[in-house]
Amino acid sequence: MLTTSEQIVYTNEAKCRDCYKCVRVCPVNAIRMSGGQASVVNERCIMCGTCIRNCPQNAKTYRRDIHKVREFLDGGYTTAVSIAPSFPALFNEWEIKRIPSLLRKLGFRYVYETAVGAFYSAWFSATELQSKDKRNLVCSACPSFVNYVRKYHPSLTDQLSGVDSPMIAHAKIIRSTVGSDVKTIFIGPCIAKKGEAGEPGNKGLVDAVLTFDELLELTEEKGISIDTLEESCFDSVPAGASRLYPVSGGFFRTAGIDYSGLKDSVTAVSGYEEVSELIRMLKEEKGVIAEALFCQTGCTNGPGLKSDIDLHSRKRRVIRYAAAGAESTGNEYDPMPYTDGSISFARKITPSPVTEKQFTEEQVREVLEHTGRINDSDRLDCGACGYSSCYEKALAVLRGMAEKEMCLPYMKKMAEQRSDKIIESTPNAIVILNYKLEIIKINPAFRRFFVCGNSSIGKPISLIIDPEHFIRLRESREEKTEIQQEHPKYGLVCHQLIYKLKEENQIVGIFVDVTKNLTDTRKLDDLRRQTIIQARELLNHQIEMAQKMAQFLGENTARGEILVENLIQLTADPAKSVNDKSAKNWLWDTGTSKR
Ligand code: SF4
Ligand code: SF4
């Protein structure tokens, strides 16, 4: 099993929110759900990138190879870049003319278009077609399509063309012209090319694969602005119409095969639906000649090419560039030196079937029963889980690819059961009314609060309680109201939350019994009132005391003044007799006696 860093398409677990979106979009069910995480099973994955485009959390991603390219550029290696013919889809006309300069500025020694290799792929495929007799033959530069056939329709592998893809053909040409120690870097819109470069038969030909998105990252990292660059040319010119290769039908044009869409045995397909149709044809018919690309409309819609430009405009840019290239280069086409067979562009594609463990009907039925899919009528085959039928999903559970709980109707039912349980057991009264304010549902607490039974169902709420607040909410634009209401008939005071269920045209009332709280509050208020009265009495008493004290202090002050006066007099007149009447007074007044 590959580690995350070796795997080409993988999940960033921290971002995965368990939404099953990738499971639903993956055309080959290569995503395993386990413990609330969606992981890509490498053996099943065809690297089409569909999950990457569709994940709302950007949790699906692919292996980045920029670090490798940095090493080559900074390590003094001789480097050659091969840029896929879909590159004009990403840039405007002005920028397209500066792409060779950009690649040189980034540090690549040789800058080429993969279209050079595409010409030879088409040339040798056309030769192969001439000798195919009545056999079907599918020419595909698309590794996702090739993976799809090898893994899921292995019996059709021998109907695939035995000629190298443009990337591999070009890598062979680069090695033969620049030298075997060259580091070849392919840049394109495709994630699956990363896998193709690592195939055992291709080892050592392409040293790194960057997507266009990675190219832009590298450009930004190096602080290069295309605006500041000069127009320049690539180091060689591709032959024929090979710059059209990335658009559906481009291979046929390059190979010179009559493809007008009117010959029923010659077909160009793109996108999963058309690919599935082609697979059916290959199984049922003979003499089919096909060109297949897994991305809808072709590589200009590859997962490594993020662009705001619509698919039609991208295609037009490629077509315009191909046409302009042919005009500007006149007869200076590559002299086609490799058509003589001096380089072998043969490839061997071997089947790599995904083996599915088989299970008995009994085992499948057990899983189906677990999620309540007992009878045929319970099996909705809704596809919400990402599998085409309840049966397929049950098989996926047994194969360890899916979790039992991934069934939406089952989850909904469970949630309903759970909420039913809450409604049944809550101590708060709940009533659900229709817009005519007739009772649809009541819970046990409601029956207890308002002394009623299930016979109230269908009757107006006004027969049980004052409906005023329900009426007001129904007539207003408000979504909910929260009030406290007395129900004297039942000796209750309730805190009430009343809200609308708009889609259902229903009104829900939740009643919380606050009678006891209210009684306690009233008791508390009484206590508070009594305390205030007592406090007030105490205060009055203290004021009275204070006044008396003040009076007393006032007397003492007057006496003190007399004493001080006497003392001064005594100090000033030592001869004054202590027997003097006034002197006796002050001695007496400074005593410790109680008064
Ligand atoms: S890359 Fe394609 S095949 Fe692989 S997991 Fe994603 S959607 Fe499935
Ligand atoms: S159509 Fe092109 S970009 Fe898409 S998977 Fe195939 S080769 Fe890659």
Side-chain angles (χ1 to χ4, degrees):
M1 193 167 168
L2 295 178
T3 62
T4 301
S5 61
E6 292 165 323
Q7 196 158 327
I8 290 169
V9 181
Y10 62 95
T11 308
N12 180 338
E13 291 190 358
K15 289 186 176 177
C16 177
R17 289 288 171 274
D18 193 16
C19 69
Y20 310 154
K21 180 79 190 230
C22 56
V23 182
R24 281 196 291 275
V25 297
C26 175
V28 291
N29 293 324
I31 294 172
R32 171 183 287 135
M33 286 303 305
S34 176
Q37 285 286 321
S39 57
V40 176
V41 179
N42 202 54
E43 296 68 34
R44 302 182 68 99
C45 176
I46 58 169
M47 299 170 214
C48 64
T50 311
C51 55
I52 297 172
R53 297 173 208 254
N54 283 279
C55 175
Q57 301 295 328
N58 291 325
K60 285 280 178 296
T61 187
Y62 58 88
R63 192 192 71 203
R64 299 294 204 263
D65 291 331
I66 293 185
H67 63 283
K68 263 195 200 172
V69 174
R70 251 188 244 119
E71 270 172 38
F72 298 150
L73 293 174
D74 300 342
Y77 292 91
T78 302
T79 52
V81 70
S82 169
I83 190 164
S86 48
F87 83 89
L90 185 61
F91 301 101
N92 63 38
E93 214 168 308
W94 194 86
E95 289 169 333
I96 287 168
K97 293 176 181 156
R98 284 155 180 82
I99 295 306
S101 297
L102 169 67
L103 296 171
R104 289 191 184 97
K105 184 89 179 165
L106 284 168
F108 297 110
R109 170 69 183 80
Y110 298 100
V111 297
Y112 300 120
E113 291 175 82
T114 318
V116 171
F119 172 79
Y120 293 100
S121 290
W123 174 280
F124 285 100
S125 297
T127 312
E128 190 184 17
L129 276 167
Q130 281 162 12
S131 59
K132 80 172 187 64
D133 301 326
K134 291 263 173 239
R135 221 164 45 90
N136 295 333
L137 192 68
V138 187
C139 302
S140 181
C142 174
S144 284
F145 175 78
V146 173
N147 289 339
Y148 182 57
V149 173
R150 291 175 64 212
K151 293 187 179 192
Y152 295 95
H153 302 282
S155 64
L156 300 179
T157 306
D158 63 358
Q159 298 189 23
L160 299 178
S161 160
V163 178
D164 281 329
S165 72
M167 176 181 81
I168 297 299
H170 195 207
K172 287 180 176 175
I173 293 169
I174 291 171
R175 275 183 178 251
S176 106
T177 50
V178 177
S180 58
D181 56 350
V182 65
K183 296 291 179 197
T184 301
I185 294 104
F186 172 81
I187 303 177
C190 188
I191 293 167
K193 290 283 179 198
K194 290 178 186 261
E196 186 188 0
E199 288 286 330
N202 299 332
K203 280 263 163 73
L205 290 170
V206 180
D207 299 281
V209 172
L210 296 185
T211 60
F212 286 137
D213 294 340
E214 287 173 285
L215 169 67
L216 296 182
E217 267 173 58
L218 193 63
T219 305
E220 201 179 317
E221 183 185 301
K222 299 258 178 187
I224 302 170
S225 164
I226 299 180
D227 301 357
T228 60
L229 302 174
E230 301 270 309
E231 276 186 32
S232 68
C233 295
F234 287 101
D235 288 329
S236 71
V237 179
S242 54
R243 281 174 172 162
L244 289 173
Y245 226 86
V247 296
S248 191
F251 157 75
F252 284 140
R253 277 290 302 278
T254 315
I257 295 165
D258 174 19
Y259 168 65
S260 55
L262 296 174
K263 272 192 165 182
D264 71 347
S265 59
V266 180
T267 183
V269 299
S270 69
Y272 179 62
E273 279 188 20
E274 287 185 10
V275 162
S276 305
E277 183 59 18
L278 173 65
I279 296 292
R280 188 199 57 73
M281 278 172 72
L282 296 175
K283 286 183 177 169
E284 294 173 4
E285 296 175 24
K286 289 228 172 337
V288 176
I289 299 170
E291 171 199 319
L293 295 170
F294 210 86
C295 294
Q296 198 161 19
T297 72
C299 303
T300 47
N301 187 22
L305 185 161
K306 267 194 222 106
S307 170
D308 296 335
I309 299 161
D310 65 83
L311 294 178
H312 185 63
S313 304
R314 292 185 208 179
K315 184 175 161 183
R316 282 180 57 210
R317 281 182 173 188
V318 170
I319 293 170
R320 263 206 304 267
Y321 174 69
E327 278 163 22
S328 67
T329 50
N331 292 324
E332 299 163 26
Y333 284 135
D334 183 308
M336 302 184 269
Y338 308 110
T339 51
D340 62 359
S342 54
I343 295 177
S344 166
F345 296 115
R347 70 175 171 184
K348 183 156 176 48
I349 300 174
T350 49
S352 175
V354 168
T355 46
E356 303 282 22
K357 211 172 159 198
Q358 298 306 312
F359 294 89
T360 64
E361 287 298 308
E362 181 59 26
Q363 287 170 306
V364 177
R365 200 170 51 78
E366 259 177 44
V367 177
L368 286 166
E369 280 179 8
H370 177 89
T371 49
R373 316 289 105 190
I374 299 162
N375 306 311
D376 281 355
S377 58
D378 300 323
R379 296 177 195 167
L380 306 180
D381 296 341
C382 65
C385 55
Y387 290 87
S388 57
S389 66
C390 298
Y391 189 91
E392 284 298 317
K393 188 253 174 178
L395 269 176
V397 170
L398 290 165
R399 288 173 183 148
M401 292 296 292
E403 290 176 323
K404 283 180 186 165
E405 293 72 24
M406 279 168 62
C407 174
L408 197 64
Y410 168 72
M411 297 284 272
K412 190 166 168 264
K413 198 169 164 200
M414 292 301 284
E416 279 167 4
Q417 279 175 0
R418 231 168 275 150
S419 56
D420 276 356
K421 255 188 206 158
I422 293 169
I423 290 172
E424 289 301 301
S425 58
T426 176
N428 303 319
I430 297 175
V431 63
I432 303 174
L433 310 177
N434 60 23
Y435 264 30
K436 287 196 267 172
L437 303 188
E438 292 162 346
I439 297 172
I440 297 174
K441 187 169 181 170
I442 52 177
N443 73 341
F446 190 91
R447 289 195 281 271
R448 215 172 40 247
F449 278 28
F450 302 109
V451 200
C452 59
N454 277 343
S455 57
S456 325
I457 308 282
K459 308 253 169 64
I461 187 73
S462 56
L463 293 181
I464 299 176
I465 54 171
D466 178 358
E468 183 195 347
H469 295 292
F470 286 92
I471 296 171
R472 268 201 221 159
L473 181 70
R474 184 187 60 186
E475 310 305 330
S476 81
R477 286 190 178 166
E478 300 298 316
E479 298 288 316
K480 64 176 171 92
T481 179
E482 218 169 333
I483 31 102
Q484 190 153 298
Q485 188 177 6
E486 289 211 34
H487 299 280
K489 190 171 155 192
Y490 306 99
L492 285 176
V493 181
C494 291
H495 184 87
Q496 290 169 201
L497 172 68
I498 305 175
Y499 61 91
K500 289 175 183 166
L501 290 178
K502 274 200 160 170
E503 282 180 17
E504 289 81 0
N505 278 341
Q506 291 174 356
I507 300 179
V508 179
I510 301 176
F511 302 73
V512 182
D513 181 2
V514 293
T515 320
K516 187 173 177 301
N517 295 2
L518 209 69
T519 314
D520 290 349
T521 311
R522 279 178 188 154
K523 277 185 190 158
L524 206 65
D525 283 348
D526 283 350
L527 194 66
R528 208 174 285 138
R529 249 191 315 277
Q530 278 172 22
T531 309
I532 289 168
I533 292 166
Q534 284 171 359
R536 206 164 277 147
E537 280 171 3
L538 187 67
L539 188 66
N540 290 341
H541 179 71
Q542 279 176 341
I543 290 169
E544 200 182 320
M545 289 290 292
Q547 282 167 347
K548 283 184 182 163
M549 292 271 289
Q551 201 181 346
F552 162 78
L553 281 172
E555 282 172 13
N556 278 354
T557 308
R559 278 190 200 134
E561 275 170 15
I562 296 165
L563 278 173
V564 172
E565 215 170 281
N566 289 344
L567 191 61
I568 291 167
Q569 279 175 17
L570 271 174
T571 317
D573 184 7
K576 197 165 184 178
S577 167
V578 288
N579 292 326
D580 185 289
K581 191 176 172 272
S582 59
K584 260 188 200 165
N585 268 352
W586 78 260
L587 284 171
W588 177 82
D589 274 333
T590 55
T592 55
S593 65
K594 285 197 283 187
R595 288 198 61 181

